[in-house]
Amino acid sequence: MTPNNISLTRFLIEEQRAGRVNAELRLLVEVVARACKRISIAVGKGALGGVLGEAGGEGEASINVQGEAQKKLDVIANDVLLEANAWGGHLAGLASEEMDHSMPIPDVYPRGNYLLLFDPLDGSSNIDVNVSVGTIFSVLRCPEGVTTPTDEDYLQPGTEQVAAGYCVYGPQTTLVLTVGHGTHAFTLDREVGSFLLTTRGMRIPEETKEFAVNASNQRFWEAPMQRYVGDLLAGKEGPRGKDFNMRWIASMVADVHRILTRGGIFSYPLDSKCAPKGGKLRLLYEANPMSLLVEQAGGAASTGRQRMLEVQPTGLHMRVPVFLGSKAEVEAAVSYHRSHDAGAA
Ligand code: AHG
Ligand code: MN
Ligand code: MN
């Protein structure tokens, strides 16, 4: 049962009455949620809908700006979000993991005051094996006086986000949203076709015994990460004095959803393979929206050396190391980096 049967629409109207969102931002969130419903339907059809596998024609892979082969669903989800958001008058422009550059809203439509960034389909490697995937989005204000935004206008630190969220397409389709006043979860009622509020004010437990990392990269990690995970694995007998459990879904959305639900720490640290790019995950449409959601739920998010939301972006597709989740555990991971750097200095 859902508490009070509060739909996303009603929740947003009540947030507007309380002065926490304006009509334009409310419309924006509703449009994104509607697009997520469409993506959820496409994901759910799987092989029956012909949506599995790689994009591009026979024998020719379609490669995105990240140098990654696009899956059909990466392209479908991107198209759904672009089409849904083009005409409503609430946006000045859009940027996506799947597009080299940002895109101003076409001249035929009115332009609004916001910029939307998204990872249309997160966890692409899980699509074909029927494991949870998701959509991540971030909303920024279009800078004052800018009518045709370019990439530079999106280079704002995460503290400037006015809304952020993700939708996880798993056994349930769940939308998790913040407009800067707590983090709230809405579950899709598939029969009715509407998102209903299922958790108001998610809270991440401060302490945890669960960590998420792709341990196959261990030999490429920096020294402080080696030491940190070494101590987690040493368990009760080690310096941390307790046993830890490990989970890695390889869909950031699904891993972060678990952490928002029951605590934990998620990390995609710097390693010698991704170091030339600055990390694996993208700041503007992966790390920042997730960091705002996590902070709004009482957790913490860091690059290991700096609060994530204070990182000044230098490019639309900038990458960063990521540590986020239960506050005390993120602080522990940060302290390993701090003492390592102090020793090195
Ligand atoms: P995307 O599918 O949008 O490119 O993102 C994949 C990301 C993230 O979801 C996940 O945490 C990570 O890549 C998994 O990386 P590994 O395959 O290296 O474990
Ligand atoms: Mn992603
Ligand atoms: Mn993606």
Side-chain angles (χ1 to χ4, degrees), residues 6 29 35 46 50 75 148 227 240 257-258 269-270 281 295 319:
I6 297 177
V29 173
V75 177
T148 308
R227 207 162 303 136
R240 299 298 306 275
H257 190 65
R258 182 188 61 255
L270 207 57
L281 297 173
E295 281 200 5
R319 296 174 189 248

Side-chain angles (χ1 to χ4, degrees), residues 29-337:
V29 173
E30 291 239 43
V31 170
V32 170
R34 210 172 306 139
C36 289
K37 279 190 241 173
R38 293 192 89 90
I39 298 169
S40 174
I41 290 166
V43 169
K45 283 195 183 356
L48 301 178
V51 298
L52 303 187
E54 310 237 310
E58 196 81 354
E60 39 169 318
S62 155
I63 307 293
N64 69 8
V65 59
Q66 327 278 337
E68 298 159 349
Q70 287 178 309
K71 300 277 186 179
K72 279 186 194 158
L73 266 173
D74 287 323
V75 177
I76 293 168
N78 194 55
D79 289 349
V80 167
L81 281 157
L82 290 183
E83 194 281 325
N85 283 287
W87 47 269
H90 51 285
L91 285 179
L94 304 122
S96 163
E97 178 196 349
E98 303 301 336
M99 306 191 307
D100 300 18
H101 294 287
S102 61
M103 193 189 98
I105 293 298
D107 290 335
V108 288
Y109 301 119
R111 291 208 180 121
N113 294 310
Y114 293 105
L115 303 175
L116 176 67
L117 300 100
F118 48 83
D119 175 353
L121 211 293
D122 174 68
S124 303
S125 71
N126 282 322
I127 294 169
D128 294 350
V129 293
N130 199 3
V131 171
S132 297
V133 292
T135 297
I136 311 173
F137 65 94
S138 164
V139 184
L140 296 167
R141 275 193 195 86
C142 186
E144 201 78 19
V146 173
T147 49
T148 308
T150 61
D151 290 0
E152 278 71 65
D153 298 309
Y154 293 74
L155 306 185
Q156 307 178 31
T159 47
E160 297 299 313
Q161 293 173 104
V162 292
Y166 64 79
C167 189
V168 57
Y169 313 113
Q172 305 126 45
T173 290
T174 306
L175 179 78
V176 177
L177 172 73
T178 183
V179 291
H181 302 272
T183 295
H184 315 286
F186 303 82
T187 304
L188 181 63
D189 181 328
R190 295 182 206 263
E191 280 77 44
V192 178
S194 92
F195 280 106
L196 298 180
L197 180 64
T198 38
T199 311
R200 189 190 283 277
M202 297 177 96
R203 299 306 294 172
I204 304 180
E206 227 170 88
E207 309 275 343
T208 184
K209 290 181 168 185
E210 204 160 76
F211 68 103
V213 72
N214 183 341
S216 70
N217 294 323
Q218 188 247 334
R219 67 189 189 285
F220 304 112
W221 292 339
E222 292 184 288
M225 185 63 185
Q226 301 271 2
R227 207 162 303 136
Y228 171 58
V229 175
D231 287 354
L232 297 181
L233 294 175
K236 248 192 196 114
E237 287 73 43
R240 299 298 306 275
K242 61 181 181 183
D243 290 335
F244 283 81
N245 186 27
M246 196 187 88
R247 287 284 184 275
W248 185 250
I249 302 173
S251 288
M252 186 192 201
V253 161
D255 278 309
V256 170
H257 190 65
R258 182 188 61 255
I259 286 165
L260 274 163
T261 307
R262 70 172 188 210
I265 181 169
F266 171 93
S267 61
Y268 212 115
L270 207 57
D271 65 43
S272 55
K273 287 189 302 176
C274 67
K277 292 176 171 172
K280 158 113 189 192
L281 297 173
R282 280 61 52 115
L283 175 65
L284 289 175
Y285 43 80
E286 290 180 318
N288 270 347
M290 292 310 205
S291 298
L292 185 62
L293 289 161
V294 162
E295 281 200 5
Q296 286 292 317
S302 170
T303 63
R305 295 180 164 95
Q306 186 183 7
R307 181 182 170 216
M308 188 66 69
L309 295 180
E310 290 176 358
V311 174
Q312 176 58 50
T314 53
L316 199 56
H317 301 286
M318 178 183 175
R319 296 174 189 248
V320 279
V322 175
F323 295 83
L324 58 80
S326 291
K327 204 174 197 165
E329 201 49 47
V330 172
E331 278 162 12
V334 169
S335 75
Y336 280 77
H337 288 78

